[in-house]
Amino acid sequence: MLEFSIKDAIDIILVAVLLYYIYKLMKESGTLNIFYGVMAFIVVWVLASEIFTMRLIGGILDKFMSIGLLILVILFQDQIKRFLVELGSHKRWSFLRNIFNHNRMELDADRARANVMPVVYACMSMAKSRTGALIVIEQTMPLDAYEHTGDEIDARINTRLIENIFFKNSPLHDGALIISGDTIKAAGCILPVSHADDIPRSLGLRHRSALGIAQATDAVAIVVSEETGRISVARRGELTTNVSSAELEHILSTLSPA
């Protein structure tokens, strides 16, 4: 007869916590479907091999499990990269540092608020004048590869500077502006374009590019429509349209400070 000890209970609790943490990370990084698929396959494998002792299908699944990791890496390399970057990010573990450094946590929060408002004001102004804009805010995944496709700016975040970059006669207004921390890193950058079928046809290339960078990385992209003046935000692989200035401020305020 099997005995259930305290060690077994701790083992189950640790596995449950680990699965929950992985689920949370993959949900935030937009790779939740991979988690569901892997979990469903593992459940079928355990049922066939261990519970019902189905030798044929169990043997097939055992062979597949031996090469399953390699297949997952090949098929979902971009999503797995996003997940691993999220897992190893210094921002993910920064709460340990903040426990012992409360003043640093308050300083980071104040600095983040100071960086948010110039972006919000610039978006509000461009929305009123119907000036098209695409602003990308870097999170845990570096955007160096995309920065190199544009022109280096390397300037502190400034409302007037953002508006001038996207002025209709500016040579940089068609590309994306990339922000990292409290610095405008580059402008006129080229982003990957999303080919999702559920994007409304009324939305143009800027919206597809915003969603594309949000699907490829954990960055947050802000779009100001040149046709309607409405503000949209792409993050975690999803696009939210018609965002108010208050909602935009809230979204940006909840981002982790660099």
Side-chain angles (χ1 to χ4, degrees):
M1 183 178 179
L2 295 177
E3 295 183 359
F4 189 82
S5 63
I6 296 178
K7 183 174 69 174
D8 296 323
I10 295 175
D11 188 25
I12 294 174
I13 292 173
L14 289 177
V15 170
V17 171
L18 178 62
L19 287 176
Y20 172 75
Y21 189 69
I22 292 176
Y23 166 83
K24 185 177 179 181
L25 278 178
M26 298 192 82
K27 182 178 180 180
E28 292 179 0
S29 60
T31 56
L32 194 57
N33 288 336
I34 298 178
F35 177 83
Y36 288 145
V38 172
M39 290 303 299
F41 182 84
I42 291 176
V43 169
V44 173
W45 175 56
V46 170
L47 289 174
S49 300
E50 303 297 331
I51 297 180
F52 297 111
T53 320
M54 303 170 70
R55 295 182 180 180
L56 180 58
I57 191 171
I60 294 174
L61 294 178
D62 287 341
K63 293 295 183 181
F64 188 81
M65 284 294 292
S66 63
I67 62 172
L69 180 61
L70 179 60
I71 294 175
L72 284 176
V73 170
I74 294 174
L75 294 179
F76 303 104
Q77 53 183 323
D78 292 336
Q79 292 89 340
I80 292 174
K81 178 182 177 182
R82 288 181 60 192
F83 169 70
L84 292 177
V85 169
E86 287 259 338
L87 183 63
S89 169
H90 71 280
K91 295 178 184 178
R92 182 63 62 180
W93 305 101
S94 61
F95 71 93
L96 294 175
R97 179 191 64 192
N98 292 333
I99 291 176
F100 303 100
N101 195 345
H102 182 68
N103 292 332
R104 174 61 183 274
M105 183 169 59
E106 292 181 348
L107 181 62
D108 285 344
D110 292 339
R111 186 177 64 177
R113 284 193 292 269
N115 296 332
V116 164
M117 295 317 299
V119 177
V120 174
Y121 291 146
C123 290
M124 291 171 59
S125 177
M126 291 185 292
K128 289 181 180 179
S129 61
R130 294 194 176 183
T131 300
L134 175 53
I135 302 172
V136 180
I137 301 177
E138 182 182 85
Q139 291 296 282
T140 59
M141 295 184 68
L143 302 177
D144 297 349
Y146 303 106
E147 292 173 13
H148 294 156
T149 63
D151 294 318
E152 182 179 357
I153 301 295
D154 198 21
R156 295 294 296 270
I157 298 175
N158 181 278
T159 299
R160 291 290 181 87
L161 177 58
I162 295 175
E163 292 181 33
N164 287 334
I165 288 174
F166 289 109
F167 182 68
K168 294 181 180 180
N169 293 330
S170 168
L172 301 176
H173 81 281
D174 278 335
L177 181 148
I178 296 179
I179 294 176
S180 177
D182 58 359
T183 305
I184 298 175
K185 301 295 290 185
C189 301
I190 300 173
L191 304 181
V193 178
S194 174
H195 298 285
D197 296 330
D198 56 348
I199 301 178
R201 292 187 177 182
S202 59
L203 302 181
L205 185 59
R206 282 195 180 95
H207 292 83
R208 287 190 172 273
S209 297
L211 185 57
I213 194 68
Q215 291 173 338
T217 70
D218 63 347
V220 174
I222 307 167
V223 181
V224 179
S225 173
E226 190 172 355
E227 289 74 22
T228 65
R230 293 178 179 175
I231 299 174
S232 303
V233 176
R235 58 173 178 165
R236 300 172 185 170
E238 297 181 355
L239 181 67
T240 304
T241 58
N242 201 17
V243 175
S244 67
S245 58
E247 291 171 334
L248 178 61
E249 180 183 350
H250 174 72
I251 291 172
L252 298 184
S253 298
T254 57
L255 300 180
S256 301

